[in-house]
Amino acid sequence: MFASVKPTLQATAASLPLKGPQSIYPLTAHSRAPKKEGDISSVFVSLSGTAATPLADRFADIKRRLISGHENAVRASWQRLLEKLVVENSEIAQQGPEVVPQIDFSDLSTASRGFLQEVKKRGVAVVRGVVPQSEARGYKADVEEYIKMNPWTKGMPPRLFFTNPAVFELYWSPSQIRARAHPNLISAQRFLMNLWHSDDGEAIISTSQPLAYADRVRIRQPGDSGFALGPHIDGGSLERWEPEGYGLGGVYHNIWQGDWEKYDPWEASSRVPAVSDLYDGAGACSMFRMFQGWLSMSSTAPKEGTLMVNPLLQLSTTYLLLRPFFAPIKQLGSSSSSESMTEYLQADNWMLKTGDEITSELQGANPGHAQELSQSLHPHLDLSRTMVHIPQIKPGDYVVWHCDSKLPLHYTSVFLYEFVTHILDPAIHAVDKIHEGNSDSSVLYIPVCPITQTNVEYLARQRDAFLSGLPGPDFPGGKGESEHIGRPTLDYVSGHVQSEGMQSMGLERLSAMEREEMIGGRMAIQKANEILAL
């Protein structure tokens, strides 16, 4: 497949200045300085080689203001939360991968009410057969050929004598361009966006047309032990507590008032003004991704380099946010007995800190990095039992998880070795330390992004990056693919991508106005075309 298009793809840096057909896209005025060169390890403090530093005292002030006047309600809500977690954690442990909702792409138009309710509860889903298996396998063959043609392609872990990269700093390969623009994928994304709702009909957001977000490629070989990506959440860390972050839209307002049961993870209008990248870190995501996700290019079973999630969207989000306000009265001793752990986790062993007792600590949150989690910092999530694999995946399946979903991680031996020997109950030693499969675990990261002003401003900058062969604005900088042989040009895209795919990249005028019922949605599309100068 790759060979058939290869002659048209010999674009190099010398041919990339904006001329001919590319000149119809003006360089965006919403420019930022490019980020320093790096790889996916830049996203995580635990992988970046930098030490976490104590947060400034202002975070203690932020915490005081968040719950001021609601201390008693927050204290009572914590007890209700812990009681609920005990029940739900046990259910997840019993069901394992089967707890993850699954549906065939062909059944999306007739999805049952039960399926929709489960997705909203779990915050994760598998949509099977979005892309035909042969086509998805072809994506992988083309990516591998693209890397072979450009052996200097950066990856993590670094290419050494005995290791191969698992995550490649590729954003504009032919496979990625075609997959993001596949009509079935766009249709699935539109279905997923419409699981959300807006309480404000005038909020400037439209779910009528997904926007493309250029993310990386993962090709993890059997036996790999170098890609150690631990429990985390995308979309910022400190920003979730900050008034100039998620506080701008009051996303978690009900949680701070001690009424977490009213927190709706699927309400979109409150997220429109939220800012998730106050620190412009190497791993910060400035685009509102309703779902993070990936399209599989291989067959992968549990324990074969696949994804694990904590499928309790509302409860785990609430716990993450309230955890910094509580501290144990009696610390967990050196004993690892179940009795001592049960006593440690009891609600009456956890005290709400108020006034001058409040510290600046926000467990696992560091400026400019993803939110990380662990059993020691977040013990009531019971990660040893509630991190479950997604079910067996085939090429062309699309796996998605809500932007607040906890603990998407790749099953890696380095992480698991540290995790099971230093943090979790010793019984977890039965977990294998390496990818046990016989074939690679390969995916294209493709999230689900609605039309908002912030997203379109990002899209305009990302369009500039595409035309120059550089990483998208959220990602580590450097020359990227600007000198890659076979990098798709604008002519390639126009020859291989249908109109909706061109629109998703900001290369054609958005034309989904007729699908929009909300005033705010129509305004979002109109504003988008103005920003994109289309």
Side-chain angles (χ1 to χ4, degrees):
M1 181 186 296
F2 191 93
S4 65
V5 299
K6 182 175 175 181
T8 69
L9 297 180
Q10 305 300 322
T12 63
S15 66
L16 288 175
L18 300 183
K19 57 186 179 181
Q22 301 200 75
S23 64
I24 63 173
Y25 305 112
L27 289 173
T28 177
H30 306 282
S31 298
R32 291 185 183 180
K35 297 181 180 180
K36 66 179 182 180
E37 194 166 359
D39 55 40
I40 194 171
S41 67
S42 308
V43 180
F44 306 97
V45 168
S46 60
L47 296 184
S48 64
T50 60
T53 57
L55 298 177
D57 289 343
R58 71 181 183 87
F59 287 98
D61 294 330
I62 288 173
K63 289 166 64 176
R64 290 187 194 98
R65 289 195 295 270
L66 284 174
I67 64 170
S68 178
H70 304 285
E71 289 87 351
N72 289 336
V74 169
R75 186 181 292 109
S77 78
W78 174 258
Q79 181 161 346
R80 298 195 306 273
L81 174 65
L82 298 192
E83 291 171 354
K84 187 71 170 175
L85 278 171
V86 170
V87 175
E88 294 292 344
N89 287 347
S90 294
E91 181 180 341
I92 291 171
Q94 289 174 0
Q95 292 194 44
E98 294 306 311
V99 78
V100 177
Q102 307 171 53
I103 191 171
D104 289 338
F105 172 74
S106 59
D107 293 332
L108 286 181
S109 61
T110 58
S112 69
R113 182 179 181 84
F115 171 78
L116 300 178
Q117 289 175 336
E118 277 299 292
V119 173
K120 290 190 174 185
K121 178 177 181 178
R122 301 302 176 192
V124 60
V126 177
V127 185
R128 298 202 175 277
V130 173
V131 173
Q133 288 194 35
S134 59
E135 192 169 353
R137 289 193 184 97
Y139 291 159
K140 184 166 78 76
D142 288 1
V143 167
E144 290 172 332
E145 179 65 19
Y146 187 63
I147 294 169
K148 183 178 179 181
M149 292 166 63
N150 302 282
W152 56 85
T153 299
K154 286 180 65 69
M156 190 274 173
R159 205 184 303 266
L160 299 172
F161 291 112
F162 301 107
T163 64
N164 290 305
V167 177
F168 292 89
E169 295 297 310
L170 292 178
Y171 305 90
W172 306 117
S173 70
S175 295
Q176 290 165 292
I177 295 289
R178 298 199 308 274
R180 292 177 197 135
H182 196 289
N184 289 2
L185 188 84
I186 290 176
S187 178
Q189 289 177 322
R190 185 175 293 116
F191 169 86
L192 292 162
M193 287 193 297
N194 284 297
L195 293 175
W196 290 68
H197 65 93
S198 179
D199 289 344
D200 180 2
E202 296 186 0
I204 309 301
I205 181 172
S206 172
T207 57
S208 60
Q209 163 73 44
L211 301 181
Y213 183 84
D215 208 331
R216 300 176 173 96
V217 177
R218 187 189 86 218
I219 304 178
R220 185 168 179 239
Q221 300 298 332
D224 170 68
S225 62
F227 179 41
L229 178 56
H232 70 281
I233 313 165
D234 298 314
S237 56
L238 300 176
E239 290 86 351
R240 286 185 164 81
W241 290 270
E242 295 207 57
E244 300 303 315
Y246 284 75
L248 288 175
V251 176
Y252 305 120
H253 174 73
N254 288 313
I255 294 175
W256 308 133
Q257 292 201 329
D259 202 4
W260 59 262
E261 292 90 345
K262 290 184 179 178
Y263 161 60
D264 184 357
W266 302 94
E267 201 288 308
S269 63
S270 63
R271 295 183 186 252
V272 172
V275 178
S276 61
D277 65 336
L278 289 173
Y279 301 92
D280 198 30
C285 178
S286 55
M287 210 163 174
F288 171 26
R289 298 180 291 184
M290 288 180 155
F291 293 88
Q292 177 60 293
W294 48 248
L295 181 73
S296 180
M297 300 184 292
S298 61
S299 294
T300 310
K303 301 186 180 182
E304 295 181 356
T306 191
L307 185 77
M308 297 177 75
V309 293
N310 175 269
L312 274 179
L313 178 58
Q314 185 193 49
L315 298 183
S316 58
T317 299
T318 302
Y319 181 83
L320 171 77
L321 295 173
L322 291 183
R323 171 65 181 89
F325 296 89
F326 289 84
I329 298 170
K330 182 179 179 181
Q331 297 291 337
L332 184 64
S334 58
S335 171
S336 60
S337 68
S338 59
E339 292 81 6
S340 61
M341 177 61 76
T342 299
E343 182 180 353
Y344 174 71
L345 296 176
Q346 288 295 318
D348 59 11
N349 187 48
W350 289 76
M351 176 183 67
L352 175 69
K353 291 189 173 184
T354 59
D356 293 340
E357 296 174 332
I358 292 179
T359 70
S360 62
E361 185 178 13
L362 296 170
Q363 286 82 358
N366 293 279
H369 292 83
Q371 171 72 48
E372 299 191 65
L373 299 94
S374 73
Q375 182 79 2
S376 61
L377 295 179
H378 307 93
H380 297 91
L381 292 181
D382 200 3
L383 305 183
S384 62
R385 297 197 304 150
T386 62
M387 290 191 304
V388 297
H389 292 93
I390 57 171
Q392 184 161 358
I393 296 299
K394 297 180 180 179
D397 291 345
Y398 189 38
V399 179
V400 295
W401 56 96
H402 185 282
C403 53
D404 279 350
S405 284
K406 306 300 174 290
L407 314 175
L409 65 94
H410 300 286
Y411 192 94
T412 65
S413 64
V414 171
F415 163 70
L416 283 171
Y417 178 79
E418 297 297 326
F419 199 65
V420 302
T421 57
H422 298 297
I423 299 176
L424 296 185
D425 189 296
I428 305 300
H429 273 93
V431 175
D432 296 299
K433 297 178 182 178
I434 61 173
H435 167 12
E436 296 178 351
N438 297 316
S439 60
D440 58 72
S441 173
S442 302
V443 304
L444 302 174
Y445 292 103
I446 306 177
V448 181
C449 306
I451 300 170
T452 68
Q453 180 169 335
T454 299
N455 282 7
V456 175
E457 289 173 352
Y458 181 91
L459 184 68
R461 300 195 304 274
Q462 181 179 265
R463 183 177 62 187
D464 297 345
F466 161 68
L467 295 173
S468 301
L470 301 176
D474 276 347
F475 296 88
K479 64 183 179 181
E481 295 161 74
S482 61
E483 299 176 2
H484 273 41
I485 298 169
R487 176 171 59 83
T489 62
L490 186 59
D491 286 342
Y492 174 81
V493 175
S494 61
H496 290 79
V497 171
Q498 296 180 18
S499 179
E500 280 193 319
M502 295 285 284
Q503 291 177 49
S504 74
M505 293 181 68
L507 299 175
E508 276 190 14
R509 184 178 179 83
L510 297 175
S511 60
M513 193 75 78
E514 68 280 359
R515 298 197 199 99
E516 266 304 336
E517 298 178 358
M518 298 287 193
I519 294 174
R522 293 195 290 272
M523 292 176 63
I525 295 171
Q526 180 179 345
K527 183 68 174 176
N529 286 326
E530 292 173 1
I531 292 170
L532 295 168
L534 294 172

